[in-house]
Amino acid sequence: MSLYNELNYIDGITIIDKEGLILFTVKFNPDIDKKMEESIVGKNLFDVFYNINKSNSSLFECMDKDKLIERKGQYVKNLYVDDSITDNISIPIKHGGLIVGAIELSKVIADYDDNVNELPNDSAVMKLKPKCLNMGYNARYNLDNIICKDKNMVKLVEYAHHVAKSNSPIFITGETGTGKELFANGIHNASNRKDKPFIAQNCSAVPENLLESIFFGTSKGSYTGALDRKGLFEACDGGTLFLDELHCMPLHLQAKLLRAIEDKSARRIGENKERNFDVRIIAATNIKNEEILNKGFIRQDLYYRLSVVKIDIPPLRERLEDIKVLSYYFIKKYNSIFEKNITSISQEVTRFMLNYDWPGNIRELENFIESAILNVSKEKIIIDEKEAKEVNNIFNDDFLKTKSLKNILENTELNLIEEALMISKGNVTKAAEYLEIPRQTLQQKMIKYSTNLKPKS
Ligand SMILES: Nc1ncnc2c1ncn2[C@@H]1O[C@H](COP(=O)(O)OP(=O)(O)OP(=O)(O)O)[C@@H](O)[C@H]1O
Ligand SMILES: [Mg+2]
């Protein structure tokens, strides 16, 4: 059923302009101080709801897509009041046919303070509140949302389509920002489980003493004040449980997790009854494949159980074609958000982008384009050196010099000459024969490189 039909009441309204400035907000909650509401007006949405950004905000999505957006289970961290999970309907506001802002009608479905009362009464928990629970109950992306042209990536997406239909567990590896969560979302939505929950749980965000009750649930009376609570497996029945950063889960809990996965059942803490569930596990880590077992991050038995299907997403620097397509995809997106008219990226900046390492991968690339477009003046149509320098301090003349094609070719040539001279023990005639070039040519090159040339030892 659509949220539109389900949302039988609302308890909050927010209106923003197209830049995200809060124009009006009201929470129909007697506990909320009116002054707080007033102080939010005039602030940017992202400063108040500090875990929300342009890519996960339903208010921005409705403006972006120019249509009503229904969002179930948006987790919001609020600077002023407790964190909560809300169901939202967001609608663009137009003037003269142009989008000028958006309005959101929301209903709080879980307030973290309430949850705290249900959890063990210990100070660590009280301090934490369950802010760490990453409770998105639906997967927002499809495999079609994975933009790529690189042939290995195209194959990987095809493979993901193929394996989505099975129930086998999947283990996704890849550096930060390569799209692991995107794949997990996409696989769930391409599977027969798509109408069931998709729950993403980041194992690094939860303290050890809470993880167990989060996964397996609790029963009334298991400790003072404990209530009957479903664990993630129960809550996710029929759906997909995405275990992000699995390597952060303590090893003893990994053993319990394995048992639950193999038995397809588990007991709530403090309860004897086994409860069955049908959950597909997708696990992910940004630890390199070869280090996962070597360094003992993940138990061998659990790893082999979960890695029936392996998806290793290559880093962006190894997907040069993707740098281009993704850049233009993000240009289109941010042109429309910031009302700019960028049509291209200068040759120099392109060279930089193709040679830069992108340690934050696609997330960093998106950020680069977003900041560049934000900085560019309205009349400019090209992202050039000026914007690149402003948004990435690695972009400078030295970087470009060392990464130019000419420079790379010269370095390779220099290396080969050094190697040949080492093999020939400094005999130029023999080195030239080895390189299959005339002796005279080698001598000219040796003069050219005389300042750098040193036989390899
Ligand atoms: N191929 C792609 N096409 C479009 N957007 C992408 C692609 N890959 C990643 N992204 C976007 O980049 C961002 C990072 O992706 P995601 O969160 O899936 O990465 P991750 O591998 O889970 O990172 P982390 O290890 O830091 O959690 C997201 O906003 C995602 O939508
Ligand atoms: Mg992730």
Side-chain angles (χ1 to χ4, degrees):
M1 206 200 314
S2 82
L3 181 59
Y4 194 70
N5 294 322
E6 260 176 51
L7 204 69
N8 43 2
Y9 69 88
I10 59 157
D11 55 21
I13 299 174
T14 302
I15 302 179
I16 60 165
D17 74 4
K18 63 180 191 308
E19 315 294 344
L21 195 75
I22 300 174
L23 303 175
F24 172 82
T25 185
V26 57
K27 276 256 159 250
F28 298 100
N29 178 338
D31 298 337
I32 292 182
D33 182 356
K34 286 284 153 217
K35 283 210 189 76
M36 185 278 292
E37 282 172 358
E38 282 158 22
S39 64
I40 288 179
V41 171
K43 289 202 165 63
N44 190 288
L45 184 76
F46 308 134
D47 293 337
V48 176
F49 303 99
Y50 58 96
N51 68 323
I52 300 292
N53 55 45
K54 284 205 180 89
S55 56
N56 66 11
S57 151
S58 38
L59 276 163
F60 269 81
E61 190 180 346
C62 83
M63 293 196 281
D64 210 16
K65 298 196 170 146
D66 192 5
K67 63 174 196 186
L68 181 148
I69 294 293
E70 300 175 355
R71 171 76 53 80
K72 281 190 185 180
Q74 170 127 40
Y75 175 39
V76 278
K77 292 182 179 191
N78 185 331
L79 208 55
Y80 295 88
V81 290
D82 292 317
D83 301 352
S84 54
I85 299 176
T86 57
D87 281 352
N88 307 326
I89 288 184
S90 309
I91 312 164
I93 303 173
K94 291 189 176 179
H95 176 74
L98 287 178
I99 294 179
V100 291
I103 179 167
E104 187 162 273
L105 311 179
S106 55
K107 168 180 167 182
V108 174
I109 53 166
D111 215 336
Y112 275 127
D113 241 12
D114 297 347
N115 270 341
V116 164
N117 297 333
E118 298 175 25
L119 290 162
N121 186 15
D122 86 41
S123 56
V125 176
M126 295 309 286
K127 252 189 272 145
L128 175 88
K129 303 185 190 163
K131 283 187 183 178
C132 42
L133 288 174
N134 177 13
M135 293 288 212
Y137 277 85
N138 39 25
R140 291 170 47 213
Y141 298 104
N142 294 315
L143 289 171
D144 296 343
N145 296 124
I146 301 177
I147 313 286
C148 61
K149 210 172 164 195
D150 173 87
K151 65 178 189 317
N152 291 329
M153 275 300 284
V154 172
K155 273 194 207 147
L156 211 54
V157 176
E158 274 168 19
Y159 182 58
H161 269 289
H162 174 69
V163 295
K165 300 287 177 225
S166 83
N167 275 325
S168 306
I170 299 182
F171 203 99
I172 307 180
T173 46
E175 289 178 13
T176 180
T178 45
K180 297 185 291 296
E181 184 145 5
L182 192 57
F183 264 87
N185 269 238
I187 289 170
H188 172 79
N189 280 337
S191 77
N192 302 330
R193 298 170 176 263
K194 65 175 189 303
D195 298 321
K196 300 284 182 171
F198 172 88
I199 302 185
Q201 176 61 55
N202 188 320
C203 302
S204 76
V206 189
E208 219 176 304
N209 59 342
L210 271 186
L211 260 182
E212 192 163 353
S213 59
I214 286 172
F215 274 102
F216 302 108
T218 52
S219 72
K220 207 169 181 163
S222 55
Y223 47 79
T224 321
L227 292 182
D228 280 330
R229 273 168 61 95
K230 280 185 184 180
L232 284 180
F233 283 110
E234 272 181 79
C236 200
D237 195 26
T240 307
L241 180 56
F242 176 50
L243 302 178
D244 206 0
E245 306 201 35
L246 182 69
H247 62 279
C248 294
M249 181 184 283
L251 294 175
H252 72 270
L253 206 63
Q254 291 189 17
K256 201 166 170 193
L257 180 73
L258 175 64
R259 214 170 316 124
I261 294 169
E262 291 195 323
D263 297 349
K264 296 190 170 59
S265 73
R267 275 182 246 158
R268 289 185 184 178
I269 296 173
E271 195 179 62
N272 281 328
K273 191 171 121 196
E274 285 281 338
R275 292 169 187 263
N276 297 329
F277 53 79
D278 162 27
V279 169
R280 183 194 207 172
I281 307 280
I282 303 183
T285 175
N286 53 18
I287 304 274
K288 285 196 183 77
N289 248 317
E290 57 276 18
E291 288 182 5
I292 294 176
L293 293 180
N294 287 353
K295 299 217 167 143
F297 288 114
I298 296 178
R299 285 176 63 104
Q300 244 186 21
D301 44 10
L302 179 65
Y303 177 72
Y304 290 126
R305 182 75 195 90
L306 293 182
S307 58
V308 176
V309 174
K310 278 195 238 174
I311 292 187
D312 186 27
I313 310 176
L316 187 59
R317 62 185 163 279
E318 289 173 15
R319 295 152 50 181
L320 297 188
E321 283 204 271
D322 286 358
I323 295 184
K324 288 190 195 157
V325 284
L326 280 162
S327 299
Y328 282 94
Y329 167 75
F330 292 131
I331 285 178
K332 204 166 157 216
K333 175 173 169 184
Y334 290 103
N335 263 346
S336 122
I337 292 176
F338 299 132
E339 296 185 343
K340 302 282 170 77
N341 303 300
I342 296 299
T343 54
S344 60
I345 303 176
S346 78
Q347 257 185 6
E348 268 199 330
V349 177
T350 306
R351 208 170 74 216
F352 162 77
M353 294 172 68
L354 293 176
N355 285 294
Y356 178 58
D357 275 350
W358 299 109
N361 292 290
I362 291 83
R363 190 179 287 116
E364 185 182 0
L365 175 68
E366 176 164 5
N367 195 289
F368 179 83
I369 300 286
E370 179 181 354
S371 309
I373 295 192
L374 186 68
N375 285 0
V376 89
S377 58
K378 275 242 177 329
E379 53 287 351
K380 253 180 108 168
I381 56 164
I382 186 163
I383 295 177
D384 62 25
E385 229 174 301
K386 177 179 170 293
E387 289 78 36
K389 276 186 177 148
E390 278 164 5
V391 300
N392 189 325
N393 56 17
I394 296 183
F395 181 96
N396 58 35
D397 298 338
D398 280 352
F399 181 93
L400 288 179
K401 237 190 262 160
T402 53
K403 293 286 184 179
S404 73
L405 179 62
K406 183 164 168 275
N407 198 277
I408 291 168
L409 291 177
E410 282 180 352
N411 270 336
T412 312
E413 192 171 62
L414 176 64
N415 276 337
L416 290 172
I417 293 174
E418 281 174 351
E419 200 174 290
L421 285 169
M422 187 192 75
I423 293 169
S424 71
K425 298 199 169 69
N427 182 319
V428 178
T429 310
K430 280 192 183 151
E433 274 168 21
Y434 177 77
L435 291 166
E436 297 183 13
I437 55 172
R439 184 178 189 278
Q440 218 179 356
T441 309
L442 177 58
Q443 263 173 335
Q444 277 161 8
K445 289 190 186 295
M446 286 170 68
I447 293 166
K448 175 177 164 190
Y449 295 126
S450 57
T451 46
N452 318 49
L453 199 61
K454 51 174 183 336
K456 282 193 171 148
S457 49

